[in-house]
Amino acid sequence: MDLAALVAEIRIDLAASLIAADGCLTLDITTCPSISFAPQNLRSIVYNLLSNAIKYQRPGCPPEVRLHCRSTKSTIVLEVQDNGLGLNEVQQGQLFGLFRRLHDHVDGSGIGLYMVKRMVENAGGNIAVRSEIGVGSTFIITLPAGATAE
């Protein structure tokens, strides 16, 4: 899967949200030209993380979202970092639960991050979050090189 092409498509889908929020999306994906992963699943993962980073912006603070990818012989690491609302430790522990919504001011069903976690784990990877209230969050996805979640 060509990661740059995938992100270009997602950027088009998120353009209206980015413009409305006066946000910016920065990409640092040149070290990961392609990822061996089911295209629809990789799209869902990246779309969910990027759209959440825009939706959960701090009031009065335009979203700054960064997608970074790095790889080694054995792993591919995708990171989505934002300057949004952030989460406390209790919220971080609940984040990937089914139908779990931690902020009610934004529309959603509470299944997006649950599904992201399932797709990542089904491919033999893992997902983690680092977050601080009022500073933002970083979602870290680690996949085995050659992962193929269908």
Side-chain angles (χ1 to χ4, degrees), residues 39-72:
Q40 70 277 14
N41 289 354
L42 185 59
R43 184 185 201 296
S44 183
I45 289 166
V46 174
Y47 181 88
N48 258 288
L49 295 177
L50 294 178
S51 65
N52 281 354
I54 297 165
K55 283 194 284 191
Y56 294 102
Q57 73 183 82
R58 275 183 287 152
C61 183
E64 295 176 12
V65 183
R66 179 176 177 257
L67 174 63
H68 174 73
C69 184
R70 64 184 186 276
S71 63
T72 67

Side-chain angles (χ1 to χ4, degrees), residues 3-143:
L3 185 58
L6 174 74
V7 174
E9 291 174 15
I10 293 171
R11 185 180 278 227
I12 291 168
D13 291 346
L14 295 175
S17 298
L18 268 171
I19 291 167
D22 195 26
C24 84
L25 172 59
T26 304
L27 304 177
D28 180 11
I29 58 175
T30 56
T31 60
C32 299
S34 65
I35 297 177
S36 180
F37 207 85
Q40 70 277 14
N41 289 354
L42 185 59
R43 184 185 201 296
S44 183
I45 289 166
V46 174
Y47 181 88
N48 258 288
L49 295 177
L50 294 178
S51 65
N52 281 354
I54 297 165
K55 283 194 284 191
Y56 294 102
Q57 73 183 82
R58 275 183 287 152
C61 183
E64 295 176 12
V65 183
R66 179 176 177 257
L67 174 63
H68 174 73
C69 184
R70 64 184 186 276
S71 63
T72 67
K73 277 186 172 181
S74 60
T75 63
I76 295 170
V77 179
L78 286 170
E79 293 184 0
V80 174
Q81 181 179 19
D82 66 55
N83 64 336
L85 294 171
L87 302 161
N88 64 37
E89 284 187 40
V90 172
Q91 291 172 315
Q92 290 175 50
Q94 300 170 342
L95 189 60
F96 298 105
L98 182 59
F99 302 121
R100 195 67 183 151
R101 300 198 57 233
L102 302 176
H103 298 288
D104 293 330
H105 70 284
V106 175
D107 289 336
S109 62
I111 63 170
L113 289 177
Y114 172 81
M115 292 305 298
V116 166
K117 182 174 173 38
R118 295 279 313 258
M119 287 183 269
V120 168
E121 289 178 347
N122 285 345
N126 63 53
I127 183 168
V129 64
R130 290 189 315 253
S131 190
E132 186 177 338
I133 295 285
V135 175
S137 301
T138 302
F139 288 83
I140 305 109
I141 295 174
T142 305
L143 298 168

